[in-house]
Amino acid sequence: MDVTTPASGPWLIVGLGNPGPEYAMNRHNVGFMVVDLLAERIGGKFKRAPKAQAQVVEGRIGPPGPANRRVILAKPMSYMNLSGGPVTALRDFYKVPVANIVAVHDELDIDYGTLRLKLGGGDNGHNGLKSMTKAMGADYHRVRFGIGRPPGRMQVADFVLKDFSSAERKELDYFVDRAADAVESLVTEGLERAQSSYNS
């Protein structure tokens, strides 16, 4: 089988965020929240990655049979704007085709809690995506988790590095759960089916 076909290699699912407890509930860290939930679902604990500045969990997603996929869940332990280095190191170590890489990240231009899945495209000013694209090109999947635009005149940098509001937190678990479902659908059923189910 051609190694570029998504079904042929393992999948690398990267949650984008900043390391450290002070960032844990920031809007910018929703990617970490989603991969944490996926790790919980497969019963894995994050550990230091071999040869990469990241934490990883290895496991499988999907029903038994041909749709079952080997996955590496990853949280880069660099800061957001340096995510490309750890992701590239993980790609090389685990021999993951770029088409099998999924970045889970916050997205300003989408309403809070709305999901959009896509393959390739621009970075839309997102420093984590910018770093990944510079390191390995843009042909990876994205699961974009809407956080909405900053209110009033608040700067974007201040907004993304603030915790979700108390009103947002009431629905956050539900939306993170739905984003984890979308990642599983993407990996086991393919992009088109996942888009039809989760792009709202």
Side-chain angles (χ1 to χ4, degrees), residues 58-142:
E58 296 179 57
R60 303 193 77 86
I61 283 177
N68 191 260
R69 299 279 183 260
R70 180 175 166 232
V71 296
I72 299 99
L73 307 174
K75 296 191 288 188
M77 291 288 112
S78 61
Y79 284 96
M80 178 72 88
N81 59 348
L82 300 172
S83 300
V87 176
T88 305
L90 291 168
R91 176 200 68 184
D92 294 347
F93 181 81
Y94 289 105
K95 299 181 170 51
V96 180
V98 172
N100 283 24
I101 296 174
V102 182
V104 186
H105 65 92
D106 56 304
E107 177 62 64
L108 287 160
D109 284 342
I110 304 174
D111 290 342
Y112 174 59
T114 300
L115 296 175
R116 292 271 195 284
L117 285 72
K118 68 174 190 172
L119 174 63
D123 57 58
N124 210 18
H126 192 288
N127 287 332
L129 297 180
K130 199 174 290 184
S131 179
M132 283 180 61
T133 297
K134 187 176 177 188
M136 60 185 190
D139 296 330
Y140 53 90
H141 287 86
R142 297 98 189 278

Side-chain angles (χ1 to χ4, degrees), residues 2-199:
D2 176 2
V3 293
T4 59
T5 60
S8 65
W11 284 76
L12 175 59
I13 300 162
V14 181
L16 293 179
N18 286 306
E22 68 271 36
Y23 298 107
M25 290 305 295
N26 286 182
R27 294 182 177 94
H28 223 18
N29 269 45
V30 75
F32 275 18
M33 297 174 200
V34 174
V35 293
D36 280 341
L37 179 57
L38 287 165
E40 204 178 292
R41 288 181 179 183
I42 64 175
K45 289 257 190 298
F46 279 95
K47 62 182 191 298
R48 184 173 296 187
K51 301 188 178 174
Q53 191 184 357
Q55 290 186 345
V56 293
V57 170
E58 296 179 57
R60 303 193 77 86
I61 283 177
N68 191 260
R69 299 279 183 260
R70 180 175 166 232
V71 296
I72 299 99
L73 307 174
K75 296 191 288 188
M77 291 288 112
S78 61
Y79 284 96
M80 178 72 88
N81 59 348
L82 300 172
S83 300
V87 176
T88 305
L90 291 168
R91 176 200 68 184
D92 294 347
F93 181 81
Y94 289 105
K95 299 181 170 51
V96 180
V98 172
N100 283 24
I101 296 174
V102 182
V104 186
H105 65 92
D106 56 304
E107 177 62 64
L108 287 160
D109 284 342
I110 304 174
D111 290 342
Y112 174 59
T114 300
L115 296 175
R116 292 271 195 284
L117 285 72
K118 68 174 190 172
L119 174 63
D123 57 58
N124 210 18
H126 192 288
N127 287 332
L129 297 180
K130 199 174 290 184
S131 179
M132 283 180 61
T133 297
K134 187 176 177 188
M136 60 185 190
D139 296 330
Y140 53 90
H141 287 86
R142 297 98 189 278
V143 174
R144 305 157 73 205
F145 185 111
I147 60 169
R149 300 295 305 185
R153 297 187 178 183
M154 186 188 288
Q155 294 295 311
V156 164
D158 295 333
F159 179 70
V160 299
L161 293 175
K162 277 198 165 42
D163 288 358
F164 284 102
S165 70
S166 54
E168 288 169 334
R169 281 202 293 272
K170 288 175 182 162
E171 294 183 293
L172 183 60
D173 286 350
Y174 168 76
F175 289 140
V176 167
D177 194 67
R178 193 163 180 272
D181 290 346
V183 172
E184 291 185 352
S185 174
L186 170 61
V187 168
T188 60
E189 301 178 306
L191 179 62
E192 282 186 23
R193 183 164 292 190
Q195 284 175 326
S196 69
S197 299
Y198 293 97
N199 278 18

